[in-house]
Amino acid sequence: GETDSPLVIREHRFRHDRIQQAAYRLIDPEQKQAVHLSIGRLLLANLSPKEREERIFEVTDHLNKGGTLFETDAERIELARLNLEAGTKARNATAYTAARIYLKTGAEYLPDTIWQTHYDLAITLHKAYAEAEYLSGNFDEAEKRIQQTVEQAATPVEKAEIYNLLIV
């Protein structure tokens, strides 16, 4: 019927989006972080692994917007993992700027003890972040990230892999 026409559906969607935007503007800025955190946590809790993978950007974006409210290192480490996943997916889609932002954000959430407590995550995230800086054309920042990662690398093989990034 008439209500099923693409024009009517598009007009409804447009109005819905405008209402959603207006409601969002009414939320106190300090409450927005808590709202995003709640949405991100709900998505994480209710999505299947496949759905989470498909919607990794949406989940990670919500959690990043509320991430400063995280109180434990475990939560920050989980958020760093999600940013690594989102950053890797963005890099694989050649969205290098987005990849750089996710990986930088993930690195910022890592606690100071990460190299002792979660070495594999730390080395993987830092290598990916350095590579994303390079792919985004930020060569000085890439070199700085590579040097910092080399200092933390535990084995000669890992140091060689990271130096290889520098050579490239």
Side-chain angles (χ1 to χ4, degrees):
E2 190 178 299
T3 57
D4 294 335
S5 81
L7 189 58
V8 171
I9 291 169
R10 200 171 317 138
E11 178 66 21
H12 171 73
R13 219 178 263 144
F14 175 75
R15 283 190 186 143
H16 177 267
D17 289 347
R18 296 293 294 252
I19 291 166
Q20 197 173 28
Q21 289 166 4
Y24 186 75
R25 281 195 293 270
L26 293 173
I27 300 172
D28 178 11
E30 291 169 14
Q31 290 292 315
K32 284 181 184 174
Q33 283 187 309
V35 169
H36 283 293
L37 186 57
S38 295
I39 292 168
R41 285 178 169 160
L42 283 168
L43 287 169
L44 262 185
N46 292 296
L47 293 176
S48 71
K50 186 179 187 308
E51 290 171 322
R52 187 183 109 176
E53 184 182 322
E54 290 168 359
R55 296 174 65 181
I56 188 66
F57 301 125
E58 179 184 0
V59 172
T60 306
D61 288 345
H62 279 295
L63 291 171
N64 282 344
K65 287 176 184 172
T68 57
L69 300 177
F70 282 156
E71 294 176 359
T72 69
D73 282 351
E75 289 176 310
R76 289 184 195 94
I77 289 166
E78 179 60 23
L79 185 52
R81 279 193 215 306
L82 290 167
N83 275 284
L84 174 59
E85 195 176 322
T88 301
K89 186 173 182 176
R91 184 197 63 217
N92 292 344
T94 67
Y96 300 133
T97 301
R100 185 183 65 76
I101 292 167
Y102 283 118
L103 295 163
K104 179 181 183 191
T105 302
E108 288 169 353
Y109 279 113
L110 293 174
D112 294 336
T113 59
I114 196 66
W115 292 98
Q116 292 76 42
T117 60
H118 294 82
Y119 178 82
D120 289 344
L121 171 63
I123 194 89
T124 303
L125 181 57
H126 281 86
K127 279 179 9 187
Y129 177 29
E131 181 184 28
E133 288 289 3
Y134 172 79
L135 292 170
S136 296
N138 302 323
F139 306 118
D140 291 342
E141 187 63 26
E143 188 172 342
K144 191 166 115 181
R145 296 284 148 216
I146 289 168
Q147 293 296 348
Q148 288 175 343
T149 307
V150 165
E151 290 170 17
Q152 298 292 337
T155 68
V157 170
E158 284 171 339
K159 285 182 194 275
E161 286 174 2
I162 297 161
Y163 275 124
N164 188 47
L165 270 178
L166 190 57
I167 292 165
V168 169

